[in-house]
Amino acid sequence: MSFLELPLELRLIIYEYAAVEGAAVTIGACELTGTGPDLVHRQYGDKRAPLPGLPPLHEPVILEGYSSRLLSISDPARIDVSSAPRPQDYLGETHHSTLSSLFLLNHQVHAELSTHFRVKNNRKTSLFIQFPLGLHVFKTKCPDFFRQARSIHIAGSYPKSVTAEQPLHLEQLAHLVSATLGKAPRYPIEKLEARIYFPGNDSYPRVWDDSSPASVILRNVCGGFIDMEVARGRHGTGIYVSVRPHPEHKRVISTVWRRLVEGDSGQPDCGDWAVDKQWPEWNTEFTPSSPLP
């Protein structure tokens, strides 16, 4: 007996088990390096095309599991296409949502999932999203990961100069926050974390600009325990925003300031602060950063 000959009720149970993702998924984009012909083949060979919205010579990466390298600012992940000719050869096999793959199987499965299937509220997956390019990859390549997300963790850098894509990335961040922690969220989660680094010794005022990621998060959280840490240093500023749902949809905000030590001899590299050393482990409650010397 083939799978499609099974009773619909049994197929729906199988769909439910198949749709549950792993404990962590990391989403971002990598710069491509290598020789000219290899770069062209990587992006356009076998009827491929670059993902619109990414910078030139960048490729979306969706990984099952946690990858601090994909989130790194100081040592960003790159793909040498001359030594890694196939996309799945880098950082482990490229992972796509099981649910989105099921939708693509055939018309009957697509119709059954669309009409009868509802993912139960047994969210177990933590999403680790590179800022800002990972937001674009998430929105365009795997938005159905919302259905399995228990928590969302964002890490990255906010550039000094305004880019053409910046409004789009901030709009995607606003959508993510409102969908998970807004008024009557469609995909409620247990916790949102964002660790954003602002490079430059004059970066502190930019943290509080109306268009900064911190301001976008605050505007789109309708109720929650909002804990913020601001780390100020000689070479840059980091802001850590932690948001947990409030049972009465109230906004409770606390902010602390810390010193950021980085960039000089014997100190962490600039931007290392953005990737939490505890990840992929995290606590439902707010956990302050360890005080710096």
Side-chain angles (χ1 to χ4, degrees):
M1 177 180 292
S2 70
F3 173 75
L4 294 178
E5 292 175 327
L6 296 172
L8 175 60
E9 293 79 5
L10 182 55
R11 292 202 299 275
L12 292 176
I13 293 174
I14 295 174
Y15 293 148
E16 180 182 326
Y17 279 100
V20 175
E21 302 295 334
V25 174
T26 311
I27 302 168
C30 283
E31 182 182 0
L32 303 178
T33 64
T35 64
D38 289 335
L39 289 169
V40 171
H41 178 74
R42 178 61 166 247
Q43 294 207 290
Y44 298 97
D46 300 323
K47 299 182 180 180
R48 290 191 295 269
L51 177 65
L54 291 185
L57 298 179
H58 278 70
E59 181 175 276
V61 178
I62 305 167
L63 300 175
E64 184 173 16
Y66 173 69
S67 171
S68 60
R69 183 80 188 282
L70 189 56
L71 303 174
S72 176
I73 297 171
S74 59
D75 186 22
R78 294 180 174 88
I79 302 175
D80 182 353
V81 299
S82 298
S83 60
R86 294 182 296 131
Q88 61 267 32
D89 285 341
Y90 185 69
L91 292 176
E93 186 175 355
T94 301
H95 179 78
H96 300 283
S97 164
T98 303
L99 189 59
S100 62
S101 300
L102 288 172
F103 271 106
L104 297 174
L105 281 177
N106 58 45
H107 291 295
Q108 180 176 339
V109 172
H110 187 284
E112 291 175 354
L113 289 170
S114 302
T115 306
H116 303 289
F117 183 67
R118 297 292 182 272
V119 177
K120 291 187 176 180
N121 190 24
N122 56 351
R123 305 167 187 270
K124 298 181 179 179
T125 303
S126 293
L127 303 181
F128 294 86
I129 302 177
Q130 174 199 70
F131 180 88
L133 298 182
L135 292 171
H136 184 63
V137 175
F138 175 58
K139 181 69 180 295
T140 57
K141 301 290 286 185
C142 54
D144 53 286
F145 274 134
F146 268 135
R147 298 173 181 267
Q148 280 82 35
R150 179 189 174 198
S151 63
I152 296 178
H153 313 263
I154 301 170
S157 177
Y158 192 72
K160 291 183 179 181
S161 57
V162 176
T163 64
E165 296 81 11
Q166 196 172 89
L168 174 62
H169 297 149
L170 295 175
E171 179 183 334
Q172 291 166 340
L173 177 60
H175 170 73
L176 184 152
V177 176
S178 60
T180 55
L181 291 160
K183 186 177 182 180
R186 185 176 181 184
Y187 307 104
I189 58 175
E190 294 182 23
K191 189 174 186 178
L192 168 72
E193 292 183 305
R195 301 178 65 91
I196 308 298
Y197 181 75
F198 294 73
N201 58 7
D202 59 347
S203 57
Y204 180 72
R206 291 189 290 120
V207 172
W208 308 111
D209 285 347
D210 287 343
S211 60
S212 82
S215 298
V216 170
I217 292 172
L218 291 175
R219 282 199 301 270
N220 287 277
V221 173
C222 290
F225 296 98
I226 304 170
D227 296 284
M228 296 190 295
E229 290 186 5
V230 183
R232 299 186 64 178
R234 294 177 55 242
H235 304 287
T237 305
I239 184 163
Y240 168 41
V241 183
S242 168
V243 186
R244 296 163 291 140
H246 192 291
E248 299 177 4
H249 303 289
K250 297 179 180 179
R251 288 168 61 95
V252 180
I253 302 178
S254 67
T255 307
V256 297
W257 281 260
R258 300 189 184 279
R259 187 160 65 99
L260 180 59
V261 178
E262 61 171 5
D264 297 327
S265 178
Q267 297 176 354
D269 291 334
C270 291
D272 276 0
W273 171 93
V275 179
D276 193 326
K277 299 300 186 290
Q278 296 185 76
W279 288 346
E281 302 299 324
W282 58 276
N283 297 317
T284 304
E285 300 298 317
F286 170 65
T287 304
S289 301
S290 300
L292 292 169

